[in-house]
Amino acid sequence: MSLTYCNIQFSGQTNRVAYLSQPLMKQLKLNGKKTMRLKLGKQAMTVSVKSIKRPGNHIYLSAGVRQGIRVPKTGTIYLLNNGEDEVQIGPLIGILTDSGYRSSGVPFGARTGFIRQLMKLGEKKAYFFAFTPRDINWTTETVNGYFLNAQGGWYRKSVSLPDVVYNRLPSRKAETTSSIALLRERFVRKKIPFFNWSFFNKSDVYKLLDGDKEAERHMPESVSNPSQERIKEMLERHQFVYYKPTAGSLGIGIYRLTYHPKRGYFARYRRGSSNVLLRFKNFQSLSRMLSARHGSGLSRYVVQQGIRLVEIDGCPIDFRFHMHKNGSNEWVPAGIGAKKAGRGSVTTHIKNGGSLMTPEHALSRTFGSRSGEVLENAKKVAIRLSEAIERNFPHTLGELGLDIGIDKDGDVYMFEANAKPGRSIFKHPALKEQGRASLTYILDHCLYLSRFRRREH
């Protein structure tokens, strides 16, 4: 199996011929061969092979070939010699997404900019396209995908099912439908790697890592659907806990509950654009307030041990580690953002008054000369936690967002893991370069999964 970089051009003939420059014929070990099997995505055909005198690696595809395997455009691309005279063009990489709001210039709503960035980065290494669940024709095994032209505009082209799918479906609700479950299973049955399977629920991650000794060392005590007695017992043992919805995001619906033996119980939460702090004389009063606000919805809540995080100006700090699989199938921290809570806020979310800074800045304010050592340790823990999640998760992962806390002793805790992390940390001017690195890791991992990369393992 060999990988070659080449330039693809189209010729006007209607027959099924591929014209290859002599250096390319030699590299692909096709000298003396009359035909080869040419493949793109899931579509393949046998074509005649003819040699042309031209320096460099060039292949000219006749219209019959181009239409037969649906080659989307000319340009530089990889050729993978699979042996047995089969050559695969590609990779063909599909980004699965959707949006309620769409227009011709913004086909994927708020995600359009991110998808465009990723496709522009990969345009010389792969055939990148974006698509929605409605764009797939399973009968013909084709996708009516969105491609980028040279000016950055969108056009549609029908191509084969891809070699790999990067899942960026934006809606938790949509992902739980039977149609999306069937779509994922169909890709798996066709042996098409599908990474970032679905959103995690908070309780999923705790169950996933239950019994994993490596991960449990870094997990606060967490209980799904706790009884009121269990919440009271944890409050008295830990002094404060977080009570949060399992499928929540952006800090919505989270409570910080505190117990002072002499002053009673306190609940801090966000209501609209304000932070609220309530005091209760006894636990029963606190419990009644939670039931009145959420009723049966409390069955979808998790209670989690509070950790005394490092603070700046009396405000706690946590860290978002944006983890990626790289081209060698290893976990790496692509970007790290430190988030300082707004005064009186339950969480560090920017929308709730939090502020974003670099981890170096945050840790130097809290650990001084030890900050570099603390950060390196946190990176190692984040890699081990990502490996533990992958080890216990039955589907392919390529990207994770870990919400990490560091206490005053430098010990590292993971509060949440997100399978489709947002990219807000990369808006910080000092983290823009890490944002670009993140896109490169996505591309490299797609190349790895599609086998268009020399595998080290």
Side-chain angles (χ1 to χ4, degrees):
M1 187 181 284
S2 65
L3 195 62
T4 305
Y5 203 48
C6 84
N7 188 283
I8 285 189
Q9 298 294 330
F10 296 153
S11 75
Q13 287 92 335
T14 55
N15 50 13
R16 295 184 166 193
V17 182
Y19 301 88
L20 284 77
S21 61
Q22 285 174 348
L24 187 57
M25 289 280 282
K26 189 177 175 185
Q27 276 197 350
L28 295 174
K29 300 183 174 61
L30 291 172
N31 284 332
K33 300 285 170 64
K34 294 276 191 291
T35 62
M36 68 172 171
R37 186 173 159 81
L38 194 61
K39 189 178 180 194
L40 176 61
K42 287 291 168 188
Q43 299 193 332
M45 67 191 302
T46 299
V47 304
S48 300
V49 176
K50 294 195 175 173
S51 169
I52 54 171
K53 283 189 176 179
R54 184 154 181 207
N57 290 344
H58 298 274
I59 182 169
Y60 291 82
L61 303 179
S62 68
V65 176
R66 186 173 85 235
Q67 289 156 11
I69 58 172
R70 300 174 188 269
V71 181
K73 56 183 175 179
T74 58
T76 50
I77 200 75
Y78 285 113
L79 294 182
L80 186 66
N81 187 341
N82 291 325
E84 303 298 313
D85 300 335
E86 182 180 90
V87 173
Q88 187 172 356
I89 304 170
L92 188 61
I93 299 172
I95 307 168
L96 175 63
T97 189
D98 212 344
S99 175
Y101 165 76
R102 9 177 359 128
S103 67
S104 56
V106 188
F108 310 112
R111 269 149 225 88
T112 304
F114 162 65
I115 290 166
R116 180 184 273 116
Q117 274 183 300
L118 187 53
M119 288 169 71
K120 280 178 86 79
L121 178 78
E123 65 188 352
K124 287 190 166 55
K125 290 187 175 177
Y127 287 134
F128 249 118
F129 68 93
F131 68 107
T132 74
R134 297 175 297 283
D135 296 325
I136 309 168
N137 185 328
W138 292 105
T139 308
T140 58
E141 296 201 332
T142 58
V143 184
N144 190 21
Y146 289 78
F147 287 82
L148 274 182
N149 62 28
Q151 292 73 42
W154 299 96
Y155 67 95
R156 307 293 294 274
K157 195 98 179 172
S158 179
V159 288
S160 160
L161 289 178
D163 296 308
V164 61
V165 176
Y166 173 43
N167 177 19
R168 286 304 298 200
L169 280 174
S171 160
R172 282 175 186 272
K173 195 174 175 185
E175 278 205 330
T176 57
T177 61
S178 56
S179 62
I180 296 298
L182 178 61
L183 176 149
R184 286 191 297 237
E185 294 299 340
R186 275 176 144 161
F187 278 116
V188 170
R189 278 204 300 274
K190 292 184 185 297
K191 296 187 167 49
I192 296 171
F194 184 101
F195 80 95
N196 288 12
W197 188 256
S198 63
F199 286 97
F200 290 156
N201 281 342
K202 293 175 180 64
S203 55
D204 293 342
V205 181
Y206 309 140
K207 284 176 196 154
L208 205 61
L209 297 176
D210 188 28
D212 190 300
K213 292 284 182 280
E214 176 61 53
E216 282 187 334
R217 289 172 48 209
H218 302 286
M219 303 274 289
E221 182 185 1
S222 302
V223 181
S224 296
N225 188 17
S227 65
Q228 295 302 300
E229 291 73 23
R230 186 65 187 271
I231 297 171
K232 185 171 188 285
E233 180 270 322
M234 282 180 67
L235 259 176
E236 288 171 358
R237 193 153 39 90
H238 299 302
Q239 274 72 60
F240 77 101
V241 298
Y242 286 94
Y243 193 44
K244 47 193 179 182
T246 58
S249 61
L250 303 175
I252 296 162
I254 294 180
Y255 294 86
R256 178 182 158 124
L257 308 178
T258 310
Y259 170 62
H260 289 285
K262 291 182 179 171
R263 296 168 59 205
Y265 295 85
F266 296 82
R268 193 182 285 280
Y269 62 96
R270 186 90 172 164
R271 185 168 57 202
S273 57
S274 307
N275 296 316
V276 176
L277 177 62
L278 300 177
R279 179 177 172 228
F280 302 88
K281 283 185 178 175
N282 54 48
F283 182 78
Q284 288 72 23
S285 306
L286 168 61
S287 181
R288 277 197 298 273
M289 181 276 289
L290 293 169
S291 295
R293 294 200 78 206
H294 299 282
S296 61
L298 291 181
S299 65
R300 295 184 291 277
Y301 263 65
V302 170
V303 65
Q304 188 175 76
Q305 169 193 352
I307 303 292
R308 299 272 172 207
L309 300 178
V310 287
E311 296 180 346
I312 292 178
D313 306 326
C315 300
I317 299 163
D318 66 16
F319 299 83
R320 164 56 66 91
F321 279 66
H322 199 114
M323 308 296 293
H324 280 285
K325 278 298 199 69
N326 65 13
S328 302
N329 204 33
E330 301 158 335
W331 286 105
V332 288
I336 307 168
K339 296 180 291 177
K340 175 184 163 192
R343 197 161 291 284
S345 176
V346 185
T347 70
T348 58
H349 288 89
I350 309 303
K351 286 186 177 175
N352 294 353
S355 55
L356 185 62
M357 57 181 78
T358 65
E360 292 83 2
H361 178 205
L363 291 171
S364 65
R365 295 265 311 263
T366 49
F367 287 98
S369 60
R370 283 187 57 219
S371 61
E373 172 197 332
V374 171
L375 183 57
E376 282 311 304
N377 177 55
K379 285 179 184 175
K380 286 175 186 164
V381 171
I383 290 168
R384 290 200 299 270
L385 285 164
S386 300
E387 289 169 347
I389 292 167
E390 184 182 27
R391 193 163 54 237
N392 292 287
F393 189 65
H395 305 292
T396 307
L397 290 170
E399 185 177 22
L400 287 167
L402 305 184
D403 287 338
I404 297 279
I406 300 176
D407 70 12
K408 291 179 172 61
D409 299 322
D411 291 331
V412 178
Y413 295 88
M414 182 180 81
F415 303 124
E416 287 180 28
N418 301 279
K420 292 197 204 168
R423 302 183 60 81
S424 60
I425 63 167
F426 300 126
K427 289 177 182 167
H428 190 287
L431 297 176
K432 281 203 169 15
E433 192 54 50
Q434 295 184 11
R436 282 190 284 274
S438 156
L439 295 173
T440 302
Y441 285 126
I442 295 168
L443 170 63
D444 287 348
H445 194 54
C446 286
L447 293 174
Y448 173 86
L449 290 174
S450 62
R451 301 185 310 125
F452 278 81
R453 195 173 179 91
R454 293 174 182 89
R455 294 196 183 202
E456 311 299 327
H457 305 292

